[in-house]
Amino acid sequence: MAPAVNKTLAALVVSGIGVLAYAIYFDHRRRTDANFRKQLRREKKKLDKSVAKAEASASASDVAPGDAPLPAAEILATMARVKDDQVPTTPEEREKYFMSQVEKGEHLCAQGPDFAVEAALAFFRALRVYPSPVELIMIFQNTVPEPIFKMVLEMMRLDVSDPSSSASADEVPPSTLSEDDGVTSNRGPPSETSSQDWDRVKGRVEGYYEVFPPKRMNVSTKTVEVTDSSGATVLKRILVADKDFTAGEVIYNEQPIVAVLDSDLEGKGSHCSQCLRKIDEGAALNPDGDRLASSFCSKECEAKLKAESQSLLFGPEYAIPVELNPNQDPEMAKKREDAQIAFARFARESGGIQFMLVARFIARQVVNETVKLLPVNRVTPSSPSSQAADEWTANGYTLFDHMERVRYLELNGKEGGAEHLREILKANLPGLEDFVTDERYTVLIGKMAYNAFGISPSGGRDDKPPPSARPEDTELTRTPIGTARQVGAGFFAVSSYISHSCNPCARPTFESGNSEMHLVATRDIKAGDEITVSYVDASIHDDEDAVKARYRRRKELVRGWRFACQCDRCAREAPPPSAGEKEIELKDDESKVEPIVSQVDQEEAAQGKSQPNPFDVTTVE
């Protein structure tokens, strides 16, 4: 399975998007190749039988059960070889080394239990040179047969705990691998000589919320316990104030990671495709060759969007520099043009705002990771990864680290959306399309659906065409003045953690006339209080009383975010049963978080770091 040059490059780019190069070689095959999945299941059964046999043998000879599944002597002897490895130093050499070890591990993994230790060693070697080992461990956990995965973790434990050890097999400490989650738990702290390596792995997971949100924003996240309608305890991460705020005070300003105009405004020249600012008549800048007929309010906005996503999705120039993709022949250029034209047509006619947010998000991360592969002297001030706005990546985290942690809904993406996006990526650099599996695309759509905010500079607009979709299928965004008044939508990293309340303590505004959000306190807020906004128009309209307004907003919440509001206002304004008024069927919150995030939150709860949520009327007291 020798990759072509551009396929290898694509794998490197993809690796920075959260899928990792490993996904190109293993995870993609596991998802798409039925025969490969069957083979993995057969080999996993063989290995499981070997483990069971080893455990039985250990039990008969009074060997500690924790030692039996892992052939400690063989692993220790194998680890001795690692110490003599010459670890590559240049990015190019590390890339080749990483790819070769992943390929070798995959091949050995399929050969059966006799090759299990060698397979684990190959995966471990790949792990040692990979810049983001935590993400790679997560991929291994989901794709590598469990016994081999545990050997990889045991190798990591031995390497961290005592990298210079020359102890015999009899002196190897018992494995502390959990049978439930495959996570190591050392009996003591790592040695001083290996603390840096250990922090690199462990600190990346645990340290995320120590650097996010940025301290300047005066807010932080916290895991709280709430109860659903069945009485079960649910964990949820919320946003809280780190200082006191008075009514009318701006809590923080936040630029969107990605933002898009409503499709009916795109190409009309009335609003900027980058910052969503209203453009004076006749003042719009319209770059030649743009497949979406985008308009800009300034050269700065044009350059920014071009650098982040426009070149890859709709522009006539390649987003991938020629040094990294030398195969930019005329035939490839024609395929790219055709893919972009079809992509733009789909975006205008049926893609929807969630689709465009996903497309811009993926494109921005692809470009970010591409820039990292360039020599330092080729990175310009206009490159996305060199801009001050990319403070989210300053601590070693990618945009996908932020996206990975937010809640999402299980939705079906717009039919054809994933395929169009794959064609765009493939036309820019063959191999990138492997990233956009149907499953991953659907999850990203669900995340945008749950977290996107409506952007409404100058109070929004009154001329938005009514939706053609059924009310239950209409895309909604978080906006207290109603989705019908927005000019576009954006995904905001920090604001995604804000919960809904029909009696919120804050409201999003766009006082700068563009897509920058100003979160303003609607009442006094104390340090430690939860920050809430209304996802829908919670006002009482002229033709409504309080009960009808309550029914309307709760119906929108069920349709858009799949939960029936249980805030204090809804509890106060509920009609008595004798009134015979319609009531929204009580539903548990159907939003989810990814398994690894759920695991971290559960560990925090077990350590007593989570607290009851005082804003939830069903919170366990």
Side-chain angles (χ1 to χ4, degrees):
M1 192 168 54
V5 173
N6 56 0
K7 188 78 171 183
T8 303
L9 171 62
L12 277 181
V13 175
V14 166
S15 71
I17 311 176
V19 183
L20 316 174
Y22 184 70
I24 295 290
Y25 289 92
F26 196 101
D27 190 46
H28 179 65
R29 282 188 64 192
R30 183 179 63 84
R31 295 176 186 278
T32 59
D33 189 334
N35 291 329
F36 186 64
R37 289 196 300 270
K38 290 178 182 178
Q39 184 183 25
L40 284 180
R41 286 195 293 269
R42 286 195 298 268
E43 299 306 331
K44 184 177 182 301
K45 287 179 181 179
K46 290 180 183 178
L47 287 166
D48 289 342
K49 288 180 180 178
S50 297
V51 169
K53 184 177 179 180
E55 287 177 335
S57 175
S59 177
S61 58
D62 296 327
V63 177
D67 292 339
L70 298 173
E74 190 174 353
I75 286 181
L76 190 62
T78 302
M79 287 289 292
R81 291 153 47 193
V82 175
K83 296 177 183 178
D84 299 327
D85 283 355
Q86 295 295 319
V87 179
T89 56
T90 68
E92 294 79 8
E93 291 172 342
R94 292 171 79 91
E95 169 201 340
K96 292 178 181 178
Y97 183 83
F98 173 81
M99 295 296 184
S100 67
Q101 292 302 317
V102 166
E103 255 191 280
K104 181 178 179 180
E106 177 187 342
H107 176 73
L108 292 170
C109 184
Q111 298 304 305
D114 291 342
F115 297 87
V117 174
E118 288 297 322
L121 180 63
F123 291 135
F124 174 70
R125 281 173 164 153
L127 184 68
R128 293 182 79 213
V129 300
Y130 197 77
S132 300
V134 172
E135 287 94 334
L136 191 56
I137 290 170
M138 294 174 188
I139 293 292
F140 283 169
Q141 186 173 16
N142 292 326
T143 55
V144 175
E146 184 177 3
I148 295 180
F149 174 68
K150 288 185 175 182
M151 290 182 196
V152 175
L153 290 180
E154 182 70 354
M155 289 175 180
M156 184 177 72
R157 185 182 71 83
L158 291 172
D159 189 50
V160 168
S161 297
D162 193 4
S164 61
S165 173
S166 59
S168 66
D170 293 336
E171 296 171 317
V172 176
S175 169
T176 54
L177 290 171
S178 163
E179 288 297 325
D180 295 328
D181 54 25
V183 177
T184 57
S185 176
N186 284 350
R187 293 187 174 183
S191 66
E192 290 298 321
T193 58
S194 61
S195 60
Q196 186 175 6
D197 291 336
W198 179 256
D199 288 344
R200 185 184 180 199
V201 176
K202 187 170 179 286
R204 184 172 173 78
V205 175
E206 296 183 348
Y208 175 80
Y209 289 112
E210 294 178 6
V211 298
F212 177 87
K215 301 301 181 185
R216 65 172 177 78
M217 300 183 77
N218 298 311
V219 292
S220 57
T221 67
K222 180 175 67 175
T223 300
V224 296
E225 297 179 354
V226 298
T227 55
D228 61 22
S229 60
S230 66
T233 300
V234 178
L235 298 176
K236 188 173 184 180
R237 191 170 284 273
I238 61 173
L239 199 69
V240 297
D242 284 349
K243 55 172 277 190
D244 295 348
F245 295 97
T246 58
E249 186 177 356
V250 175
I251 301 171
Y252 63 73
N253 299 342
E254 183 178 18
Q255 293 282 356
I257 287 180
V258 286
V260 297
L261 275 177
D262 283 348
S263 58
D264 69 296
L265 295 177
E266 193 68 76
K268 300 294 178 60
S270 61
H271 291 77
C272 179
S273 295
Q274 161 60 26
C275 72
L276 278 58
R277 184 187 302 276
K278 187 173 179 57
I279 303 175
D280 293 337
E281 187 173 355
L285 302 178
N286 303 103
D288 295 335
D290 188 280
R291 322 290 189 207
L292 200 62
S294 304
S295 302
F296 298 95
C297 65
S298 66
K299 285 290 185 181
E300 291 75 15
C301 277
E302 179 184 347
K304 181 175 175 60
L305 192 62
K306 178 181 178 181
E308 290 183 349
S309 64
Q310 195 74 0
S311 287
L312 190 147
L313 298 176
F314 305 109
E317 300 175 8
Y318 272 92
I320 309 298
V322 67
E323 303 100 304
L324 303 179
N325 185 20
N327 299 321
Q328 297 177 4
D329 54 52
E331 183 178 351
M332 190 67 179
K334 181 63 168 62
K335 290 181 179 179
R336 183 172 178 272
E337 179 183 4
D338 292 343
Q340 286 186 334
I341 291 172
F343 185 81
R345 184 184 305 113
F346 179 84
R348 286 191 297 266
E349 296 175 357
S350 58
I353 207 159
Q354 295 162 5
F355 165 76
M356 279 300 299
L357 285 170
V358 169
R360 291 227 185 262
F361 179 82
I362 290 175
R364 178 171 179 178
Q365 185 67 347
V366 166
V367 174
N368 276 354
E369 296 307 316
T370 300
V371 169
K372 292 177 184 178
L373 300 178
L374 288 172
V376 175
N377 60 1
R378 284 280 288 109
V379 178
T380 67
S382 63
S383 300
S385 61
S386 66
Q387 292 171 352
D390 276 357
E391 64 180 301
W392 313 123
T393 64
N395 293 286
Y397 296 103
T398 68
L399 299 180
F400 259 89
D401 283 301
H402 303 288
M403 179 64 81
E404 206 171 47
R405 286 162 170 80
V406 299
R407 305 187 75 84
Y408 70 97
L409 298 173
E410 286 191 341
L411 301 175
N412 292 322
K414 293 286 185 181
E415 186 174 350
E419 188 57 39
H420 277 289
L421 194 49
R422 281 192 286 265
E423 289 299 316
I424 280 288
L425 295 176
K426 182 179 180 180
N428 279 274
L429 180 62
L432 285 181
E433 72 277 7
D434 288 334
F435 169 66
V436 187
T437 63
D438 290 339
E439 178 184 353
R440 187 168 289 110
Y441 172 76
T442 300
V443 169
L444 287 174
I445 286 288
K447 293 197 174 196
M448 293 303 181
Y450 191 81
N451 295 287
F453 276 80
I455 296 173
S456 50
S458 305
R461 58 171 174 151
D462 299 312
D463 60 349
K464 185 172 182 176
S468 57
R470 299 180 305 167
E472 56 268 34
D473 295 330
T474 299
E475 294 180 340
L476 298 174
T477 56
R478 302 179 183 183
T479 169
I481 65 173
T483 303
R485 295 184 60 81
Q486 71 181 32
V487 301
F491 171 72
F492 297 82
V494 176
S495 299
S496 294
Y497 289 89
I498 304 178
S499 298
H500 164 83
S501 173
C502 296
N503 185 28
C505 65
R507 60 185 172 87
T509 66
F510 300 89
E511 299 170 5
S512 299
N514 56 24
S515 59
E516 181 184 32
M517 179 191 295
H518 298 241
L519 190 68
V520 179
T522 56
R523 59 172 180 264
D524 291 350
I525 299 172
K526 297 295 184 183
D529 286 352
E530 179 180 4
I531 305 293
T532 58
V533 300
S534 179
Y535 291 180
V536 298
D537 179 2
S539 65
I540 299 177
H541 296 177
D542 293 340
D543 59 345
E544 298 174 327
D545 58 19
V547 172
K548 289 183 178 179
R550 176 182 182 272
Y551 178 78
R552 170 182 50 78
R553 66 178 185 260
R554 285 163 63 83
K555 182 167 61 175
E556 286 188 27
L557 290 168
V558 169
R559 286 173 172 172
W561 293 270
R562 296 189 180 179
F563 70 89
C565 185
Q566 302 178 54
C567 72
D568 54 355
R569 180 181 173 187
C570 282
R572 290 196 312 269
E573 296 179 353
S578 59
E581 294 284 348
K582 289 183 178 180
E583 178 62 295
I584 298 295
E585 180 184 354
L586 188 62
K587 300 180 65 174
D588 296 338
D589 189 337
E590 294 183 15
S591 66
K592 299 182 176 183
V593 292
E594 303 213 29
I596 187 63
V597 177
S598 177
Q599 182 177 335
V600 171
D601 287 344
Q602 289 170 7
E603 289 175 358
E604 283 194 0
Q607 296 169 4
K609 294 182 181 180
S610 63
Q611 302 177 22
N613 181 4
F615 282 81
D616 189 89
V617 296
T618 59
T619 297
V620 179
E621 298 293 336

